[in-house]
Each structure stands twice: as C-alpha cells, then as structure tokens.
Amino acid sequence: MNDLSLPQLSFSLSAASKVKRLIEEEDNQDLKLRVFVTGGGCSGFEYGFTFDEDVEEDDTSIEEAGVVLLVDPLSYQYLAGAEIDYMEDLQGSRFVVNNPNASTTCGCGNSFSI
C-alpha cells in the first residue's frame, strides 16, 4: 500500500533475477527482498537490503519476474520514483538504488542526502 501521489518504485529485471537466484540458493520460496532507508552513512541516509519472510500491513510490495520487493512506508517516501537494480562491475556485484530524489550520493553509492 502506498500513496498514489508518489511516483512508483521500480525493480529491474536484473535485480529480480539476482534475487530469484539467491532465494533458490536459500531454498525458501517465502523470502522477499526488503529495501529500506536508515539515518547514517557519509551523506545522511543509507540504503539497506535484507531478506524477509513477513509482509507488514503497510508495506508496499512490487513484483517482478516472480519475486517480491518490499518497502516500508517511511522508506518509501525517500525511494519513490527510484529503481532498484543489480550491477556487476570492477567494484564488485551489488544491489544499487538509482534514486532521482537524492541530491548527493557518496562515492560508494550506499548513502545519500535529499
């Protein structure tokens, strides 16, 4: 459930495919990827990712390629319009958030400010 006045959050096929592989490795089809925002990091806010079996009543859930992304309402306001992606490059492999709301992002891409 989310505020329809906020832009939608998207979940790339690359990220969904990686999550699907990780869920298969864990052998637990109840797992969902939870994306959240916490205070901290070098820019003020920090992205977090975890697997969760539970869906809270006020979570926003986005399904892509058979896997579910969960976002709590407090985090959603900072992530509205963002894309959750998965990248593999010289820095390694990781989930990334392409967030149009972020006015600055740290070099590692894990923290941001509004």
Side-chain angles (χ1 to χ4, degrees), residues 76-98:
Y76 194 94
Q77 66 184 338
Y78 297 108
L79 294 169
E83 178 191 46
I84 309 305
D85 198 6
Y86 181 76
M87 293 181 63
E88 292 182 18
D89 59 19
L90 294 175
Q91 295 177 341
S93 57
R94 65 207 176 279
F95 288 102
V96 294
V97 179
N98 300 313

Side-chain angles (χ1 to χ4, degrees), residues 38-47 104-114:
T38 59
C42 51
S43 295
F45 294 103
E46 195 166 25
Y47 301 115
T104 59
T105 303
C106 71
C108 67
N110 288 334
S111 70
F112 67 102
S113 64
I114 301 285

Side-chain angles (χ1 to χ4, degrees), residues 9-12 14-20 22-23 28-36 48-55 59-63 66-72 84-86 94-97:
L9 180 66
S10 64
F11 191 27
S12 76
S14 174
S17 297
K18 181 61 177 179
V19 170
K20 190 172 201 162
L22 292 170
I23 289 171
N28 182 350
Q29 296 304 309
D30 293 332
L31 292 176
K32 297 148 189 66
L33 181 67
R34 181 173 292 280
V35 180
F36 56 93
F49 299 90
T50 188
F51 280 103
D52 200 339
E53 291 182 353
D54 300 321
V55 178
D59 281 342
T60 295
S61 62
I62 298 152
E63 188 170 341
V67 295
V68 176
L69 172 76
L70 300 174
V71 183
D72 66 86
I84 309 305
D85 198 6
Y86 181 76
R94 65 207 176 279
F95 288 102
V96 294
V97 179

